Amino acid sequence: MDQNNNFNTQGYNGFTNNQSNTNMNNNFNQPPVNNQAPRKKPNIGLIAGIVGAVLVVGIGGILLFNKPSNEPNNNIQNNGGTNNSANVVYNDSSRSINSTYTFDEATSKFAFKEYETTLIFQQNNNIKLSSIKLGNISNVSFYYENASAYYTFNFEESGSSSINEFVENFNNGILGGGKRQTTFQNIKMLESNEEYAFISCQESGNSSYKYYFAKQIGGKVFYAYSDRHLIELDDNKKSEMLIGFKELFNALSTDDNKEPYISDKIINVPVVLNKQIKDYKFIDTIQLVHPKTSTANYRNYMKGSVNLYSADNKSLVVQYDADKFYNKVEWNKNLSSKIKYSDEDNFFGIKDGNNTQMFSISKSENIETENNFNEYLNKFFN
């Protein structure tokens, strides 16, 4: 297994909507909520600290990453799901949005906007979404794994329209696509042709190595990169990484104006208590759990989470398909026959038929009763 890709193995990728760092996987070790010292039991207090950390950071106004649609929502395909789609705001309701998705369906194929361009992602056996942050500067990363290696690739749009232009700009420290200009050193063109470029380098003042791969999709060049390799990779690992980069770009295609945006699919993933997210603008971050890049506490215990933020600086984390995670928590309070609470871990858990979800809310909100809980959820859900 590739031990050089250990930058994202210590936590569950929690990050907030006021972080502008394009490397979304560098925020895994934040302090716990309210500076609580978790008591010893099966590591659940640690989980609460990691997940809860996203709830205590000051949050600015919600920023949009796609142009909202003012068209009436007349294109939602009814697959027998129970939701309130007529009362929600989609990013683009003109697309072919099904009435119900599973979390896996919503995150395995979707449209997303990177800077100025909408693309379509379709996962395959080795490439899956890692996390996507929605906002005026969107950040997206993908997880690659095969039998011998795994990587998290950050993906961005460049300001170039050809590979030759990208290489020339790169040598001058220009990445484009609205990203900051930087200065590279020790640049090595590992492979370059009319189809793609594969480059290793170091940023000035930083001894760790970064690996870039660029390829054209439609009329623009996009690039992906893997960083935080403290030493230069050997030829075998570089070859493994190049295979991963190529597989990532094989999973991406130009927009067809039909595939729904990921935010609109997430809206139609059922939430317990027959709830539905009101507005795509509430969705700040979507994260998936993967076996090599998440703590042992999260592996195989849930599918992923969605971070919601409102314009009045309220926040909520929803964890999906969390039945096994629910069973790990020691619940000490029942808010109702369905709503359980753990004051040590600050989790609210709900089993509702075949659907189990966990909710994280800042303790400063003083959620102590079923009414408090429902009132808070109603800020985000119909």
Side-chain angles (χ1 to χ4, degrees):
M1 187 60 61
D2 177 15
Q3 298 301 316
N4 292 298
N5 187 36
N6 61 1
F7 59 91
N8 194 29
T9 59
Q10 303 180 44
Y12 177 51
N13 296 346
F15 56 92
T16 61
N17 71 335
N18 65 345
Q19 292 172 309
S20 59
N21 188 341
T22 58
N23 177 15
M24 296 184 298
N25 304 295
N26 189 28
N27 303 287
F28 49 74
N29 197 20
Q30 301 189 40
V33 176
N34 298 330
N35 296 318
Q36 292 176 300
R39 297 189 295 273
K40 289 186 178 180
K41 59 173 195 150
N43 290 325
I44 301 298
L46 172 62
I47 303 172
I50 296 170
V51 177
V54 301
L55 301 174
V56 297
V57 185
I59 301 164
I62 295 298
L63 301 173
L64 311 184
F65 86 109
N66 280 317
K67 181 180 178 181
S69 171
N70 294 321
E71 300 175 20
N73 183 26
N74 296 324
N75 205 41
I76 310 303
Q77 299 176 3
N78 190 345
N79 288 345
T82 57
N83 64 25
N84 306 304
S85 58
N87 300 317
V88 304
V89 179
Y90 292 94
N91 181 37
D92 186 350
S93 62
S94 69
R95 296 182 178 235
S96 302
I97 307 173
N98 291 344
S99 62
T100 304
Y101 296 96
T102 64
F103 188 81
D104 283 341
E105 289 170 340
T107 57
S108 61
K109 183 181 181 182
F110 53 85
F112 70 102
K113 191 170 185 179
E114 167 48 36
Y115 191 52
E116 295 180 337
T117 307
T118 294
L119 298 174
I120 294 174
F121 171 74
Q122 169 71 73
Q123 77 173 34
N124 56 43
N125 289 337
N126 295 330
I127 293 286
K128 296 177 172 61
L129 176 68
S130 175
S131 55
I132 182 167
K133 184 184 185 310
L134 312 179
N136 67 325
I137 300 178
S138 61
N139 290 322
V140 60
S141 64
F142 298 96
Y143 175 75
Y144 168 76
E145 181 182 2
N146 64 14
S148 59
Y150 64 93
Y151 300 100
T152 299
F153 295 139
N154 299 286
F155 179 81
E156 298 181 8
E157 177 181 328
S158 79
S160 306
S161 57
S162 71
I163 293 298
N164 288 338
E165 182 184 2
F166 177 85
V167 171
E168 181 179 352
N169 287 338
F170 192 92
N171 286 325
N172 292 319
I174 300 171
L175 292 173
K179 306 302 186 293
R180 64 181 176 86
Q181 183 168 334
T182 188
T183 303
F184 298 116
Q185 61 187 20
N186 195 22
I187 298 174
K188 295 180 181 179
M189 197 62 55
L190 303 177
E191 285 192 32
S192 180
N193 51 48
E194 292 183 355
E195 183 182 359
Y196 65 83
F198 182 35
I199 308 169
S200 72
C201 65
Q202 295 170 291
E203 290 187 2
S204 296
N206 190 335
S207 61
S208 62
Y209 280 78
K210 300 182 78 168
Y211 292 85
Y212 284 81
F213 180 89
K215 187 175 180 180
Q216 190 164 331
I217 304 176
K220 293 186 177 180
V221 173
F222 295 82
Y223 63 91
Y225 64 93
S226 177
D227 60 3
R228 295 195 170 269
H229 304 277
L230 298 180
I231 61 174
E232 187 173 11
L233 301 182
D234 61 32
D235 289 343
N236 288 335
K237 287 185 169 61
K238 290 175 185 175
S239 296
E240 290 173 344
M241 183 181 290
L242 179 59
I243 292 171
F245 279 133
K246 289 180 177 180
E247 288 203 38
L248 169 58
F249 275 76
N250 287 338
L252 297 163
S253 59
T254 56
D255 186 28
D256 62 1
N257 295 306
K258 295 179 182 179
E259 179 63 31
Y261 284 100
I262 187 171
S263 56
D264 294 345
K265 283 190 165 185
I266 287 293
I267 283 177
N268 285 3
V269 176
V271 177
V272 292
L273 306 178
N274 200 30
K275 299 287 187 181
Q276 184 179 21
I277 298 171
K278 290 180 180 182
D279 194 323
Y280 80 96
K281 295 187 293 292
F282 288 148
I283 301 174
D284 180 79
T285 307
I286 302 163
Q287 303 176 74
L288 273 66
V289 171
H290 295 298
K292 299 294 194 306
T293 57
S294 301
T295 65
N297 299 299
Y298 279 97
R299 295 173 192 170
N300 302 318
Y301 287 102
M302 65 176 181
K303 294 293 179 65
S305 68
V306 173
N307 295 17
L308 304 174
Y309 291 97
S310 64
D312 59 351
N313 294 342
K314 302 299 182 181
S315 59
L316 176 70
V317 180
V318 186
Q319 288 137 6
Y320 287 76
D321 296 327
D323 186 71
K324 292 181 180 179
F325 194 18
Y326 178 99
N327 293 333
K328 286 175 67 70
V329 175
E330 294 180 5
W331 306 106
N332 66 298
K333 183 177 181 180
N334 293 331
L335 272 62
S336 73
S337 60
K338 287 187 176 180
I339 307 170
K340 296 182 180 295
Y341 177 66
S342 168
D343 60 1
E344 178 178 350
D345 307 313
N346 195 34
F347 279 132
F348 298 85
I350 300 176
K351 281 182 177 285
D352 190 9
N354 295 324
N355 195 4
T356 303
Q357 289 173 326
M358 309 272 282
F359 298 83
S360 297
I361 304 172
S362 172
K363 280 196 171 183
S364 65
E365 299 295 341
N366 298 316
I367 308 297
E368 298 179 351
T369 67
E370 179 182 8
N371 285 339
N372 294 153
F373 180 76
N374 287 328
E375 286 175 2
Y376 197 85
L377 257 61
N378 287 340
K379 296 177 181 291
F380 304 95
F381 300 98
N382 286 323

